[in-house]
Amino acid sequence: MLRWIMHIDLDAFFASIEQRDHPEWQGRPLVVGAAPSQRGVVATCSYEARRYGVRSAMPISQASQRLPDDAVYVRPRMAHYAAVSKQIMAALETISPVVEQASVDEAYLDVSGLERLIGPPGTIGRQAKRLIKHTVGLTASVGIGPNRLIAKLASEYRKPDGLMAVHPNEVQAFLDPMPISALRGIGPRTAPTLRQMGLERMVDIRQADPALLEKRLGLRLARAIISQAYGRGSDQVQPHSVRQSISKATTFEQDIVDPVRLRETLLWAAQEVGRPARREGLQGTTITLKIRLGNFKTLTRQRKLPAPTADDTVFYRQAWALYQESALAGKPVRLLGLGLSGWQHNAPSQGDLFDERPGPPEHVQTPRRVRLFQALDGISNKFGQNAITLGLRRKR
DNA sequence: TCTGGGGTCCTAGGACCC
DNA sequence: TCTGGGGTCCTAGGACCC
Ligand SMILES: [Mg+2]
Ligand SMILES: [Mg+2]
C-alpha cells in the first residue's frame, strides 16, 4: 500500500525560540551555545548569523570572530525548548494520530488517507505549518513523500519555511542530482571515501559497483546507501520508542587534574543520570565512564553490573573505580561523564529456545574431527565444564 | 583563534557456550 | 595433520545525527 509520510523540521529551532521570546533580538545575529569567551561550540544560530558563515558545531571563538559586535550570545535553555517541542508534538497529533518525534525539533507523520479529509499532500503540509505557526509562533520546513527518506530530504530542500511534496514518480529525478552528503549515514569522515571513488551525486551511487562499495564501507552502510540512492526507505512511523541510554558529561573550562574535582564531577553526573532513570522507572546494568583528555583523546570504560540499579551511589562508585583502574591519574582531563544503559535483561523467548537451526546439506560430509566435537559438546560435568572448557581445545 | 552534549547504531575481537 | 563452526555476550572505539 502506498503511503504518504510527512517530515517536519523546525527552522533554527533554539535560536528562533529565543528571538520569539526576546523581540529585541529579532533581526539580529543570535547564537545559542557557549559563551564567546569560553570553551564550546554553536548549538544553533539565527539566519542572520548564518549570513556571516556561522554554523552549528562551529567553535564559539570562531563564530565570535566572524560576527559583528551587535551579535547576541545566549546559553541553551534545553528544558524550555523541550517544553515548546512538546506543545508542537501535541498539536501535530490533531492532524494525524501517527506522530513520531525524531528529535527535539523533528517529527514524522503518517498522513496517508488524509487526502479525502484535507486535500492533496501540499495542502496537508500547509495545514501543518499553519498549525505550528499558530500554536508556538515558529516556522517549520515540511517535506512529504512516499517514505521517510524522501520526506526528510524534501523538508531539507526548501528551508527555511519550506514546503515540498515529492510524488512517487518524481523520486528518482528528485534524488539523482543530490550530493552524496545528503545520504543518511555519510558524514565528514566517509564522504571523502566516496569522492575518492569518483562518486559525487546520488546517481553515481546507483551506478557504482555494489561489491566495491561493500569493500570500502562495510556491508551494512553500503547496502543502506544503495537503497537510499534508489529512493527506497521505510514508510513506517512509530509513535513510541524506548530510549537505550541516559548519560551526563561536562567539559571543564580548564583541564582538570585534581582528583577531588573529578570525584565531585562524577558524583554530580551520577545524580543527573539517576534522577531521570528513576523518574522513568529505568534500572540499568551497564555503567560507562567517559573521559576526554587534554589532547582530545577520548576513552570509554564500561562495566556490566550483576544486577540492574538506579542508585546514584552505585553509579558514582563504579565510575570512580573505572577511573582508578584506567591508569589515567595525573593526566589532564578535558571532559568527564558517565552513562547508564542495558535495561533489564530480556528473557529468551520460546522461539529462541525451540527454533531448530538448519543442518548442513545432505551431500556435505561432516569431518570426523567435527563429529567428535559435536559429540563432546553435549557432555558436561556437574560444574558445567565440558570438553572445551576443560582444555581439549587449545587456546589461541 | 580550535573542537558541546545527548543520543543511536555499527564494527571487531576475545571469552564463552554448544 | 596444524587447530569446527555456529552462536551470544562483553568491551572499546568510532561515525553519525540533531
Ligand atoms: Mg531544525
Ligand atoms: Mg533537526
Side-chain angles (χ1 to χ4, degrees):
Chain A
M1 223 267 278
L2 189 68
R3 310 206 72 81
W4 281 114
I5 306 302
M6 175 159 74
H7 181 254
I8 299 177
D9 191 328
L10 276 288
D11 303 318
F13 187 51
F14 301 170
S16 300
I17 292 176
E18 296 298 346
Q19 287 184 319
R20 178 199 73 173
D21 295 348
H22 303 86
E24 69 275 19
W25 294 343
Q26 285 169 18
R28 288 168 65 183
L30 182 145
V31 172
V32 181
S37 59
Q38 297 204 319
R39 272 182 166 168
V41 298
V42 175
T44 315
C45 61
S46 67
Y47 281 89
E48 293 84 357
R50 293 181 195 194
R51 280 203 273 282
Y52 293 90
V54 176
R55 295 287 180 274
S56 290
M58 179 181 277
I60 200 78
S61 48
Q62 193 180 332
S64 65
Q65 209 74 25
R66 290 170 174 265
L67 290 171
D69 289 345
D70 71 331
V72 182
Y73 301 86
V74 297
R75 259 23 86 238
R77 296 186 291 153
M78 293 309 302
H80 181 51
Y81 310 149
V84 177
S85 175
K86 213 170 173 181
Q87 284 182 282
I88 296 169
M89 300 300 154
L92 291 176
E93 279 174 17
T94 66
I95 294 185
S96 162
V98 191
V99 177
E100 174 182 333
Q101 178 160 11
S103 79
V104 72
D105 81 321
E106 280 174 57
Y108 290 93
L109 276 75
D110 188 335
V111 295
S112 314
L114 289 185
E115 283 172 286
R116 212 183 301 176
L117 220 60
I118 303 176
T123 306
I124 303 171
R126 262 187 296 278
Q127 172 156 334
K129 285 162 62 76
R130 200 162 50 231
L131 179 65
I132 291 171
K133 185 84 194 174
H134 180 256
T135 309
V136 293
L138 299 171
T139 67
S141 294
V142 171
I144 302 168
N147 61 49
R148 299 165 64 103
L149 172 73
I150 302 305
K152 168 94 179 165
L153 293 174
S155 76
E156 284 169 1
Y157 199 71
R158 286 186 181 153
K159 247 172 183 312
D161 204 11
L163 173 64
M164 171 100 179
V166 179
H167 287 251
N169 62 354
E170 304 167 332
V171 164
Q172 207 62 67
F174 173 63
L175 231 41
D176 276 351
M178 286 196 180
I180 51 165
S181 55
L183 288 160
R184 310 280 95 195
I186 301 299
R189 283 294 198 287
T190 321
T193 306
L194 293 177
R195 292 201 193 94
Q196 272 166 20
M197 296 170 72
L199 310 176
E200 301 278 350
R201 304 193 171 272
M202 294 285 208
V203 61
D204 303 331
I205 304 290
R206 230 160 18 97
Q207 293 163 355
D209 174 13
L212 188 60
L213 276 173
E214 282 179 20
K215 203 170 154 188
R216 297 281 158 82
L217 303 184
L219 189 67
R220 298 251 188 181
L221 187 55
R223 284 186 182 173
I225 68 168
I226 290 168
S227 105
Q228 287 178 54
Y230 282 95
R232 293 191 279 256
S234 164
D235 59 8
Q236 299 300 301
V237 176
Q238 283 163 3
H240 297 291
S241 68
V242 195
R243 76 143 106 198
Q244 303 292 319
S245 65
I246 305 176
S247 65
K248 196 77 191 180
T250 189
T251 293
F252 300 108
E253 202 40 53
Q254 269 105 37
D255 297 350
I256 296 294
V257 187
D258 178 9
V260 175
R261 284 211 53 198
L262 295 177
R263 283 211 316 261
E264 283 169 3
T265 305
L266 285 180
L267 185 56
W268 162 81
Q271 291 163 347
E272 291 291 312
V273 165
R275 194 176 314 122
R278 291 187 295 275
R279 173 159 38 80
E280 295 172 35
L282 295 170
Q283 299 195 314
T285 56
T286 302
I287 310 291
T288 303
L289 172 74
K290 181 173 176 174
I291 302 177
R292 178 128 64 210
L293 299 176
N295 61 8
F296 219 70
K297 184 180 165 62
T298 307
L299 305 90
T300 60
R301 291 291 177 270
Q302 68 179 49
R303 168 170 298 166
K304 189 164 162 47
L305 305 176
T309 179
D311 185 340
D312 303 353
T313 313
V314 175
F315 304 155
Y316 162 70
R317 285 209 195 106
Q318 293 293 333
W320 181 243
L322 285 166
Y323 172 76
Q324 289 178 308
E325 290 160 24
S326 68
L328 293 169
K331 299 212 179 185
V333 176
R334 180 188 175 95
L335 168 147
L336 189 63
L338 73 83
L340 180 68
S341 58
W343 321 129
Q344 203 79 41
H345 196 75
N346 288 327
S349 69
Q350 279 217 338
D352 290 340
L353 287 172
F354 294 100
D355 278 359
E356 267 187 49
R357 295 186 219 291
E362 296 294 330
H363 62 278
V364 177
Q365 251 225 306
T366 307
R368 181 190 303 257
R369 190 180 53 244
V370 175
R371 288 198 312 244
L372 172 66
F373 271 113
Q374 286 172 343
L376 292 172
D377 276 347
I379 303 172
S380 57
N381 66 15
K382 63 178 176 177
F383 302 111
Q385 297 166 320
N386 63 23
I388 296 161
T389 51
L390 283 172
L392 270 193
R393 184 201 283 185
R394 236 177 305 164
K395 284 203 172 143
R396 285 172 228 235

